[in-house]
């Protein structure tokens, strides 16, 4: 009986000590996780901004090409109409 009682008290005291140590160490782990998440979030934000800039440049390039083709077509059609009218 005495051995069983010692084991019982050991389990109780060990559990309590584990909980206390866990409570003490938990904020530090949360801070580490929070710091890691902040760094990853910042990297992700920067990557998304770079991707957005690249997409913006490509869209601007496509728009410029479209506008130049549109103007070229418009001028050619005007020249064609002037040639037909003889002006």
């Amino acid at each position: 009986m005495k051995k069983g009682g010692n084991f019982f008290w050991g389990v109780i005291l060990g559990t309590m000590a584990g909980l206390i140590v866990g409570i003490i160490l938990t904020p530090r782990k949360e801070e580490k996780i929070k710091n890691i998440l902040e760094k990853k979030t910042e990297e992700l934000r920067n990557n998304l901004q770079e991707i957005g800039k690249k997409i913006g440049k490509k869209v601007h390039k496509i728009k410029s090409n479209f506008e130049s083709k549109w103007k070229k077509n418009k001028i050619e059609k005007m020249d064609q109409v002037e040639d037909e009218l003889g002006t």
Side-chain angles (χ1 to χ4, degrees):
M1 280 281 188
K2 209 157 196 171
K3 288 183 181 179
N6 287 338
F7 177 75
F8 179 73
W9 283 110
V11 170
I12 291 176
L13 291 175
T15 304
M16 289 174 53
L19 289 173
I20 291 170
V21 170
I23 290 171
I24 291 171
L25 296 178
T26 300
R28 293 182 188 156
K29 289 181 182 178
E30 287 178 358
E31 289 175 11
K32 287 181 182 178
I33 292 171
K34 186 177 178 183
N35 289 338
I36 291 171
L37 288 177
E38 286 178 4
K39 288 178 184 176
K40 294 296 181 183
T41 304
E42 187 176 329
E43 289 176 12
L44 181 63
R45 186 180 308 123
N46 291 339
N47 288 340
L48 289 175
Q49 286 177 350
E50 289 177 18
I51 290 171
K53 288 178 184 177
K54 288 179 182 178
I55 291 173
K57 287 179 182 178
K58 288 185 179 185
V59 168
H60 181 69
K61 185 177 179 181
I62 291 170
K63 182 180 173 186
S64 297
N65 288 342
F66 183 74
E67 286 176 351
S68 65
K69 286 180 183 179
W70 180 269
K71 288 178 183 177
K72 185 178 178 184
N73 250 354
K74 189 175 180 181
I75 292 172
E76 286 177 0
K77 287 184 180 182
M78 287 175 60
D79 289 342
Q80 186 180 16
V81 169
E82 287 177 354
D83 288 343
E84 288 178 2
L85 293 175
T87 55

